[in-house]
Amino acid sequence: MKNSITALAAVIIWFLTACGDGDRIPKEYIDKQKMTAILVDMSVADAYGNDITQDNMRVPDSIRQEKVKVLYKQVLDLHKIDAKTFMTSYTYYENHPDRMKEVFEMVQADLTARKAKLGEPGSESAPLMHRLKIIFPYAEKAIAIPTNTDTVRPFVKRQP
């Protein structure tokens, strides 16, 4: 009788400790906030890379995919993460769908906030480039618009 109570108590303690850290991410993986920031930047890189045109002609998919790979590498460099660590962490999140869902919800919220910050293309609060694109799709190539943005390495933060 005493052994069965001890065994029952051990099983209860084991269950409590096994379920206690349900929301904690192991240290060898990227935490939710950093993973969210990386995935937001990768989403922007993907959109940027797929929007590439060359002299008003669409670029072949293979060239765009290579450009997106370069942008992804820049994103990982910006966040000081190597590809192996990112893929290991991404696999971890894939194996834990509830955590992956949380991360993707945070990514979606961030991207929605960024889009709302831009405003509608026709509104006066929208950036000039964004407003002009509604009328002139290739506004970024116009001479009158400043082109001081770095298009070669768009995800490298400049030092002041």
Side-chain angles (χ1 to χ4, degrees), residues 16-145:
L16 290 176
T17 57
C19 299
D21 293 333
D23 197 35
R24 207 175 105 214
I25 308 293
K27 291 186 182 203
E28 64 265 18
Y29 303 115
I30 302 170
D31 63 71
K32 289 181 200 175
Q33 286 72 25
K34 191 164 189 171
M35 184 62 107
T36 299
I38 292 169
L39 290 174
V40 165
D41 286 346
M42 284 187 165
S43 295
V44 172
D46 195 45
Y48 179 79
N50 287 325
D51 193 40
I52 295 173
T53 58
Q54 189 160 357
D55 299 326
N56 299 334
M57 294 178 62
R58 296 302 294 169
V59 177
D61 285 341
S62 59
I63 294 174
R64 281 190 297 200
Q65 288 172 355
E66 286 301 315
K67 181 66 175 174
V68 170
K69 284 181 186 178
V70 170
L71 295 174
Y72 282 173
K73 176 69 172 125
Q74 291 174 7
V75 167
L76 293 176
D77 289 345
L78 175 68
H79 291 280
K80 296 178 176 81
I81 298 290
D82 62 348
K84 182 179 179 186
T85 303
F86 175 77
M87 288 309 298
T88 303
S89 297
Y90 193 84
T91 302
Y92 169 80
Y93 282 100
E94 281 182 325
N95 292 330
H96 296 84
D98 54 330
R99 293 184 182 130
M100 181 68 106
K101 182 180 178 192
E102 290 176 31
V103 169
F104 279 133
E105 286 172 351
M106 292 189 303
V107 168
Q108 185 65 37
D110 191 318
L111 291 173
T112 302
R114 288 179 183 211
K115 185 176 179 182
K117 189 175 178 182
L118 275 178
E120 291 298 316
S123 75
E124 290 185 23
S125 64
L128 176 63
M129 188 77 71
H130 195 57
R131 283 184 281 158
L132 285 177
K133 277 191 169 188
I134 199 167
I135 301 166
F136 185 52
Y138 301 103
E140 67 270 3
K141 296 183 181 184
I143 296 173
I145 298 174

Side-chain angles (χ1 to χ4, degrees), residues 48 67 71 74 147-154 158:
Y48 179 79
K67 181 66 175 174
L71 295 174
Q74 291 174 7
T147 57
N148 58 358
T149 59
D150 186 359
T151 57
V152 177
R153 295 183 56 91
R158 297 190 174 137

